[in-house]
Amino acid sequence: MRLKACILIILFVLTGCFAESKETTSPERESSPANIELVPVDLFKGEAAKFQPFLGPMSGAFKLKYEGSKPNANLDIDIWKDGRSVESAGSIGDLFYSPDEQSNNEVEVIISIDTVTMGEKDESAIIKISTIGRSGSSLLTFQIPWDKKLTARGLIQDAEPRSFTADQAVHVFGMQATSSNTMRTSDLSTESLSQTKWALVFTLQFEE
Protein backbone atom coordinates (compact mmCIF):
# COMPACT_ATOMS: atom_id res chain seq x y z
CA MET A 1 0.00 0.00 0.00
CA ARG A 2 2.82 2.40 0.88
CA LEU A 3 4.43 1.73 -2.50
CA LYS A 4 1.19 2.51 -4.35
CA ALA A 5 0.72 5.68 -2.31
CA CYS A 6 4.27 6.84 -3.12
CA ILE A 7 3.73 6.17 -6.84
CA LEU A 8 0.46 8.17 -6.83
CA ILE A 9 2.14 11.10 -5.05
CA ILE A 10 4.99 11.13 -7.60
CA LEU A 11 2.50 11.05 -10.50
CA PHE A 12 0.55 14.00 -9.06
CA VAL A 13 3.75 16.03 -8.62
CA LEU A 14 4.94 15.31 -12.16
CA THR A 15 1.52 16.14 -13.62
CA GLY A 16 1.49 19.46 -11.77
CA CYS A 17 4.96 20.36 -13.01
CA PHE A 18 4.02 19.53 -16.60
CA ALA A 19 0.86 21.64 -16.42
CA GLU A 20 2.77 24.57 -14.92
CA SER A 21 5.46 24.30 -17.61
CA LYS A 22 2.81 24.23 -20.34
CA GLU A 23 1.09 27.30 -18.93
CA THR A 24 4.33 29.28 -18.80
CA THR A 25 5.58 28.37 -22.29
CA SER A 26 2.35 28.53 -24.32
CA PRO A 27 1.76 32.31 -23.96
CA GLU A 28 5.32 32.99 -25.10
CA ARG A 29 4.82 30.96 -28.25
CA GLU A 30 1.47 32.61 -28.95
CA SER A 31 2.83 36.12 -28.41
CA SER A 32 5.82 35.67 -30.71
CA PRO A 33 5.32 37.73 -33.90
CA ALA A 34 5.14 35.85 -37.19
CA ASN A 35 8.09 35.85 -39.57
CA ILE A 36 7.19 37.19 -43.02
CA GLU A 37 9.08 36.72 -46.29
CA LEU A 38 8.64 39.19 -49.14
CA VAL A 39 9.55 37.93 -52.63
CA PRO A 40 9.49 40.34 -55.61
CA VAL A 41 7.56 39.14 -58.67
CA ASP A 42 8.48 40.02 -62.27
CA LEU A 43 5.05 40.75 -63.71
CA PHE A 44 6.14 40.87 -67.34
CA LYS A 45 8.62 38.04 -67.55
CA GLY A 46 8.49 35.94 -70.73
CA GLU A 47 5.06 35.67 -72.35
CA ALA A 48 3.54 37.83 -69.59
CA ALA A 49 5.08 40.87 -71.31
CA LYS A 50 1.92 41.05 -73.42
CA PHE A 51 -0.01 42.27 -70.37
CA GLN A 52 2.17 45.34 -69.75
CA PRO A 53 0.11 47.66 -72.00
CA PHE A 54 -2.95 46.89 -69.88
CA LEU A 55 -1.30 47.39 -66.49
CA GLY A 56 0.98 50.25 -67.49
CA PRO A 57 4.64 50.94 -66.73
CA MET A 58 3.95 51.95 -63.10
CA SER A 59 3.08 48.39 -62.05
CA GLY A 60 4.71 45.86 -59.76
CA ALA A 61 4.05 42.79 -57.64
CA PHE A 62 5.35 40.81 -54.70
CA LYS A 63 4.46 37.75 -52.64
CA LEU A 64 4.08 37.67 -48.87
CA LYS A 65 4.33 34.44 -46.87
CA TYR A 66 4.27 34.10 -43.11
CA GLU A 67 5.35 31.41 -40.68
CA GLY A 68 3.95 31.21 -37.16
CA SER A 69 0.77 32.77 -35.81
CA LYS A 70 -1.41 34.53 -38.37
CA PRO A 71 -0.66 38.29 -38.35
CA ASN A 72 -3.39 40.88 -38.80
CA ALA A 73 -1.64 42.70 -41.65
CA ASN A 74 -3.03 45.85 -43.28
CA LEU A 75 -1.67 47.47 -46.44
CA ASP A 76 -1.77 51.24 -46.01
CA ILE A 77 -1.34 53.67 -48.91
CA ASP A 78 0.09 57.08 -48.00
CA ILE A 79 1.02 60.21 -49.92
CA TRP A 80 4.45 61.60 -49.02
CA LYS A 81 5.54 65.15 -49.74
CA ASP A 82 9.01 66.52 -49.10
CA GLY A 83 10.08 63.31 -47.43
CA ARG A 84 7.22 62.71 -44.98
CA SER A 85 3.78 61.16 -44.90
CA VAL A 86 1.07 63.82 -45.16
CA GLU A 87 -2.12 62.07 -46.21
CA SER A 88 -3.74 58.65 -46.40
CA ALA A 89 -4.80 57.44 -49.85
CA GLY A 90 -6.51 54.23 -48.66
CA SER A 91 -5.97 50.94 -46.88
CA ILE A 92 -6.63 47.21 -47.30
CA GLY A 93 -7.32 45.28 -44.11
CA ASP A 94 -6.30 41.74 -43.12
CA LEU A 95 -4.31 40.65 -46.19
CA PHE A 96 -4.13 37.03 -44.98
CA TYR A 97 -7.89 36.79 -44.40
CA SER A 98 -9.51 33.41 -45.02
CA PRO A 99 -13.32 32.87 -44.95
CA ASP A 100 -12.96 29.42 -43.42
CA GLU A 101 -10.52 27.51 -41.25
CA GLN A 102 -8.07 26.72 -44.04
CA SER A 103 -4.65 28.29 -43.89
CA ASN A 104 -4.05 31.31 -46.11
CA ASN A 105 -0.43 32.02 -45.21
CA GLU A 106 0.63 33.24 -48.67
CA VAL A 107 -0.71 36.10 -50.76
CA GLU A 108 0.43 37.79 -53.97
CA VAL A 109 -0.11 41.54 -54.28
CA ILE A 110 -0.25 43.22 -57.70
CA ILE A 111 -0.24 47.03 -57.85
CA SER A 112 -0.89 49.27 -60.85
CA ILE A 113 -0.85 53.07 -60.80
CA ASP A 114 -2.02 55.18 -63.74
CA THR A 115 -3.23 58.72 -64.35
CA VAL A 116 -6.41 59.71 -66.15
CA THR A 117 -7.70 63.09 -67.33
CA MET A 118 -10.87 64.31 -65.66
CA GLY A 119 -12.27 67.04 -67.89
CA GLU A 120 -10.00 69.69 -69.40
CA LYS A 121 -7.95 70.58 -66.32
CA ASP A 122 -8.14 67.95 -63.59
CA GLU A 123 -6.28 64.65 -63.49
CA SER A 124 -6.53 61.72 -61.11
CA ALA A 125 -4.29 58.81 -60.22
CA ILE A 126 -6.02 55.44 -60.26
CA ILE A 127 -4.50 52.86 -57.91
CA LYS A 128 -5.48 49.25 -58.56
CA ILE A 129 -4.52 46.52 -56.10
CA SER A 130 -5.19 42.83 -56.67
CA THR A 131 -4.61 40.29 -53.92
CA ILE A 132 -4.44 36.59 -54.79
CA GLY A 133 -4.40 33.92 -52.09
CA ARG A 134 -5.45 30.35 -51.53
CA SER A 135 -8.97 31.42 -50.61
CA GLY A 136 -9.50 33.50 -53.78
CA SER A 137 -8.66 36.90 -55.23
CA SER A 138 -9.89 40.47 -55.01
CA LEU A 139 -9.43 43.74 -56.90
CA LEU A 140 -9.68 47.13 -55.21
CA THR A 141 -9.46 50.58 -56.81
CA PHE A 142 -8.52 53.89 -55.18
CA GLN A 143 -8.55 57.35 -56.74
CA ILE A 144 -6.57 60.42 -55.67
CA PRO A 145 -6.07 63.88 -57.23
CA TRP A 146 -2.98 64.16 -59.41
CA ASP A 147 -0.81 67.22 -59.94
CA LYS A 148 -0.05 67.60 -63.65
CA LYS A 149 3.32 69.13 -62.78
CA LEU A 150 4.52 65.70 -61.59
CA THR A 151 5.66 64.62 -65.03
CA ALA A 152 8.53 62.29 -64.07
CA ARG A 153 7.62 59.04 -62.30
CA GLY A 154 9.49 55.96 -61.11
CA LEU A 155 8.82 52.81 -59.10
CA ILE A 156 10.41 52.03 -55.75
CA GLN A 157 10.47 48.28 -55.14
CA ASP A 158 12.61 45.43 -53.86
CA ALA A 159 15.00 43.65 -56.20
CA GLU A 160 15.71 40.72 -53.86
CA PRO A 161 13.68 38.75 -51.28
CA ARG A 162 13.79 39.91 -47.66
CA SER A 163 12.37 38.78 -44.33
CA PHE A 164 11.01 40.67 -41.32
CA THR A 165 8.88 40.09 -38.25
CA ALA A 166 5.28 41.22 -37.89
CA ASP A 167 5.91 43.64 -35.03
CA GLN A 168 6.55 46.97 -36.78
CA ALA A 169 5.55 48.87 -39.91
CA VAL A 170 7.40 47.88 -43.11
CA HIS A 171 7.43 49.77 -46.45
CA VAL A 172 6.87 47.25 -49.27
CA PHE A 173 6.27 49.26 -52.47
CA GLY A 174 6.25 52.80 -53.75
CA MET A 175 6.18 55.24 -56.63
CA GLN A 176 7.93 58.60 -56.61
CA ALA A 177 7.33 61.59 -58.86
CA THR A 178 8.85 65.03 -59.46
CA SER A 179 8.08 68.16 -61.44
CA SER A 180 11.64 68.33 -62.76
CA ASN A 181 13.71 66.08 -64.99
CA THR A 182 15.89 65.04 -62.05
CA MET A 183 14.96 62.07 -59.85
CA ARG A 184 16.94 60.39 -57.08
CA THR A 185 17.46 56.63 -57.00
CA SER A 186 15.49 55.50 -53.96
CA ASP A 187 14.81 52.36 -51.95
CA LEU A 188 12.13 51.50 -49.40
CA SER A 189 14.06 52.53 -46.30
CA THR A 190 12.59 55.45 -44.35
CA GLU A 191 15.87 57.31 -44.73
CA SER A 192 15.73 57.04 -48.52
CA LEU A 193 12.04 57.94 -48.71
CA SER A 194 12.73 61.05 -46.66
CA GLN A 195 14.68 62.39 -49.68
CA THR A 196 11.75 62.14 -52.11
CA LYS A 197 9.81 65.19 -53.29
CA TRP A 198 6.54 63.31 -53.80
CA ALA A 199 5.82 59.62 -53.32
CA LEU A 200 3.04 57.10 -52.99
CA VAL A 201 4.15 54.61 -50.33
CA PHE A 202 2.61 51.22 -49.54
CA THR A 203 3.24 50.07 -45.98
CA LEU A 204 2.42 46.90 -44.05
CA GLN A 205 0.93 47.74 -40.66
CA PHE A 206 0.31 45.06 -38.03
CA GLU A 207 -2.49 45.08 -35.47
CA GLU A 208 -2.50 42.97 -32.31
Side-chain angles (χ1 to χ4, degrees):
M1 291 295 292
R2 290 182 179 178
L3 180 59
K4 291 182 178 179
C6 290
I7 292 175
L8 287 175
I9 292 172
I10 293 173
L11 287 175
F12 283 135
V13 172
L14 290 175
T15 303
C17 292
F18 175 76
E20 183 180 354
S21 175
K22 186 175 181 181
E23 289 177 0
T24 56
T25 56
S26 293
E28 292 180 0
R29 288 198 300 268
E30 291 177 0
S31 62
S32 298
N35 186 66
I36 298 179
E37 182 183 22
L38 183 152
V39 180
V41 174
D42 187 349
L43 273 179
F44 310 119
K45 184 177 181 179
E47 293 185 357
K50 61 186 177 184
F51 297 114
Q52 188 167 11
F54 301 96
L55 292 175
M58 295 295 103
S59 301
F62 52 87
K63 289 183 179 180
L64 297 170
K65 184 177 181 180
Y66 74 84
E67 292 183 356
S69 301
K70 174 185 172 297
N72 188 1
N74 300 331
L75 183 63
D76 290 351
I77 313 166
D78 296 299
I79 298 172
W80 288 46
K81 293 181 180 179
D82 295 322
R84 63 187 183 91
S85 176
V86 297
E87 183 180 352
S88 172
S91 180
I92 300 177
D94 201 0
L95 286 180
F96 296 106
Y97 167 77
S98 180
D100 48 39
E101 296 300 323
Q102 69 174 348
S103 174
N104 187 39
N105 69 327
E106 183 174 340
V107 63
E108 182 173 354
V109 181
I110 302 174
I111 300 171
S112 176
I113 307 166
D114 202 2
T115 56
V116 294
T117 301
M118 309 292 291
E120 295 183 358
K121 297 182 179 180
D122 298 331
E123 279 194 7
S124 293
I126 306 298
I127 307 164
K128 296 180 181 179
I129 304 176
S130 176
T131 58
I132 305 167
R134 294 176 182 175
S135 59
S137 62
S138 66
L139 175 63
L140 298 175
T141 301
F142 302 89
Q143 183 173 334
I144 60 173
W146 182 260
D147 186 349
K148 286 185 176 181
K149 295 179 181 179
L150 299 173
T151 54
R153 293 175 288 174
L155 293 180
I156 309 173
Q157 56 187 335
D158 288 298
E160 299 292 337
R162 60 181 167 122
S163 297
F164 47 86
T165 54
D167 56 1
Q168 59 183 342
V170 179
H171 304 310
V172 293
F173 191 80
M175 183 192 79
Q176 65 170 322
T178 69
S179 57
S180 66
N181 291 326
T182 302
M183 184 178 293
R184 292 175 57 93
T185 300
S186 300
D187 58 38
L188 290 166
S189 66
T190 301
E191 180 181 0
S192 181
L193 291 173
S194 68
Q195 303 300 315
T196 58
K197 294 297 184 181
W198 189 99
L200 197 60
V201 182
F202 298 75
T203 305
L204 278 184
Q205 297 277 3
F206 301 99
E207 297 182 4
E208 296 184 358

